[in-house]
Amino acid sequence: MTDQSQIDQGPEIDSELQAHIGRHLKASYDDILSQDVPDRFRDLLSQLEAKEGGDAGAKGGKK
């Protein structure tokens, strides 16, 4: 039978493999961060910020 503590921890991964996976994850993340935000998303974010700004002013007046 398998020890429960081994199941909870999952399989051990070689440190070289961990480093390899880490490098590829970082490269993917960096690539995503360097991409432009589509205009549609910028418009939606602007609308959300405008709505939150308007709501915050209204809420501030109600005490």
Side-chain angles (χ1 to χ4, degrees):
M1 284 180 69
T2 306
D3 183 8
Q4 184 65 34
S5 64
Q6 289 176 330
I7 294 171
D8 292 341
Q9 294 176 0
E12 287 189 29
I13 299 176
D14 180 72
S15 61
E16 188 174 323
L17 179 58
Q18 285 180 354
H20 177 77
I21 293 169
R23 285 190 298 273
H24 282 273
L25 286 172
K26 183 177 182 335
S28 296
Y29 183 75
D30 289 342
D31 182 48
I32 291 168
L33 287 180
S34 69
Q35 295 177 10
D36 288 335
V37 176
D39 291 338
R40 174 86 172 119
F41 289 161
R42 288 181 195 202
D43 292 343
L44 289 171
L45 288 171
S46 294
Q47 290 173 15
L48 179 62
E49 288 173 353
K51 183 178 179 183
E52 287 180 348
D55 288 347
K59 289 179 184 175
K62 294 181 182 179
K63 285 189 178 182

